[in-house]
């Protein structure tokens, strides 16, 4: 078992809901951990946006996602829950995902039931594989995890909500729980009623993802915990906040020709502390010729 998988399992055993903000990159992952969150979510949307400046339409390869996971896990120092999309192919591809994510230090990952190429769970028009194929995909992930001697948590995700409705999504999620996954996850939630339906209709440990700008985003962690959710992902909160701040600073710089003054924002000293500049320099100075 990796250390972070052990940590995540211990956190889940305590029964308190785990908040995992999404990070588009390693620096954001470090900031999330420094702010005091117990876990970080490696979102495929954020990874695609940060690496390619493109939408989440299955453009990143398995290798690129594993590289992103490795950097984020090293920077965060807390459990990272990673997006593994559809598994990037057949059972052998999925086994490679498990091996690469385990070596990267990932604590948990989710595999979804979309066809390749996949798309963001908030978008309409997702094409799903049959439930039996999705179950086989998840059994392969669990078997690969078990055979490797590693104990990352496997999350079974369904994207059926937007295309087949809540009852079909719940039926798929219940079937995926029977495939041996550790948690189930109905993605694409937008309304409070949908959150409540998942809470009522899906027994066992489960994940919810709240997306900024939706009605469901108004729910707080205490209420979600009372509903029975184990993990809450805030997939794009940091990404949107970062873009908002960057756009405002750039607009002011463009308009005035001067660097904006922000007494509450990051300056170079605060940035240096976040990236541990002093620690890096001390190590280098000790061993320089």
């Amino acid at each position: 078992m990796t250390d972070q998988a052990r940590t995540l399992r211990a956190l889940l055993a305590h029964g308190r809901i785990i908040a995992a903000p999404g990070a588009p990159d390693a620096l954001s992952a470090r900031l999330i951990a420094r702010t005091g969150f117990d876990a970080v979510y490696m979102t495929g949307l954020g990874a695609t946006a940060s690496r390619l400046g493109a939408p989440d339409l299955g453009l990143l390869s398995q290798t690129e996602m594993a590289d992103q996971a490795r950097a984020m896990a090293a920077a965060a120092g807390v459990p990272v829950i990673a997006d593994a999309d559809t598994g990037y192919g057949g059972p052998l591809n999925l086994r490679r995902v498990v091996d690469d994510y385990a070596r990267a230090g990932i604590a948990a990952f989710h595999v979804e039931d979309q066809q390749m190429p996949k798309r963001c769970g908030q978008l309409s028009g997702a094409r799903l594989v049959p439930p039996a194929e999705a179950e086989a995909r998840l059994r392969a992930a669990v078997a690969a995890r078990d055979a490797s001697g590693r104990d990352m948590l496997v999350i079974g995700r369904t994207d059926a909500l937007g295309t087949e409705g809540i009852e079909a999504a719940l039926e798929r999620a219940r079937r995926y729980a029977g495939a041996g996954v550790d948690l189930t996850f109905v993605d694409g939630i937008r309304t409070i009623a949908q959150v409540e339906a998942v809470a009522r209709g899906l027994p066992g440990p489960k994940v919810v993802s709240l997306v900024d700008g939706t009605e469901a985003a108004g729910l707080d962690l205490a209420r979600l915990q009372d509903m029975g959710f184990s993990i809450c992902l805030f997939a794009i909160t940091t990404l949107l906040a970062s873009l908002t701040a960057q756009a405002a600073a750039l607009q002011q710089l463009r308009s005035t020709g001067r660097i904006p003054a922000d007494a509450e924002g990051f300056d170079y000293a605060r940035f240096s502390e976040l990236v541990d500049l002093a620690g890096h320099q001390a190590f280098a100075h000790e061993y320089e010729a």
Side-chain angles (χ1 to χ4, degrees):
M1 180 189 297
T2 65
D3 289 342
Q4 296 301 352
R6 183 182 298 111
T7 298
L8 184 59
R9 286 188 181 275
L11 289 169
L12 288 168
H14 289 160
R16 178 172 57 87
I17 190 169
I18 298 169
D25 51 39
L27 187 60
S28 298
R30 174 165 287 181
L31 182 59
I32 289 167
R34 289 286 188 92
T35 306
F37 288 94
D38 291 324
V40 172
Y41 176 44
M42 190 192 92
T43 157
L45 184 152
T48 305
S50 65
R51 293 175 74 99
L52 302 180
D56 184 17
L57 296 173
L59 299 175
L60 285 189
S61 67
Q62 184 271 338
T63 302
E64 289 172 310
M65 289 289 280
D67 287 344
Q68 187 88 346
R70 187 176 301 105
M72 288 178 58
V78 299
V80 173
I81 301 165
D83 187 349
D85 292 325
T86 62
Y88 309 100
L92 294 177
N93 302 92
L94 193 48
R95 185 170 68 180
R96 184 184 176 195
V97 172
V98 173
D99 289 342
D100 286 353
Y101 276 12
R103 284 192 291 269
I106 292 301
F109 62 92
H110 62 71
V111 179
E112 63 204 47
D113 53 6
Q114 290 194 44
Q115 297 180 31
M116 295 178 66
K118 57 78 50 95
R119 58 176 55 205
C120 171
Q122 289 291 316
L123 295 176
S124 61
R127 297 174 299 127
L128 307 182
V129 299
E133 183 177 339
E135 284 184 82
R137 185 180 287 175
L138 293 170
R139 288 196 181 95
V142 173
R145 186 271 312 273
D146 293 346
S148 69
R150 300 171 175 118
D151 200 27
M152 293 180 296
L153 287 87
V154 181
I155 302 168
R157 165 179 150 176
T158 180
D159 287 80
L161 180 59
T163 56
E164 300 180 358
I166 186 64
E167 291 305 322
L170 290 172
E171 176 59 27
R172 278 178 175 260
R174 289 190 287 262
R175 289 184 64 163
Y176 301 166
V181 300
D182 298 284
L183 303 102
T184 51
F185 174 19
V186 175
D187 198 19
I189 282 176
R190 303 186 64 83
T191 68
I192 293 174
Q194 290 170 337
V195 179
E196 293 172 339
V198 172
R200 289 192 306 268
L202 188 57
K206 48 190 168 284
V207 177
V208 63
S209 178
L210 300 185
V211 174
D212 306 54
T214 63
E215 182 194 40
L219 294 169
D220 61 28
L221 288 169
R223 186 170 175 188
L224 292 168
Q225 179 168 305
D226 289 342
M227 290 180 180
F229 289 99
S230 303
I231 297 174
C232 181
L233 309 175
F234 299 92
I236 58 174
T237 300
T238 62
L239 175 64
L240 297 184
S242 175
L243 290 173
T244 299
Q246 289 182 60
L250 290 169
Q251 184 59 50
Q252 188 171 347
L253 179 60
R254 176 67 174 158
S255 299
T256 67
R258 300 178 60 181
I259 296 174
D262 184 359
E264 302 299 322
F266 266 81
D267 57 13
Y268 188 72
R270 191 175 173 192
F271 165 79
S272 298
E273 190 279 329
L274 177 62
V275 298
D276 190 24
L277 175 62
H280 284 76
Q281 288 179 321
F283 183 87
H285 293 163
E286 182 176 356
Y287 296 103
E288 283 174 344

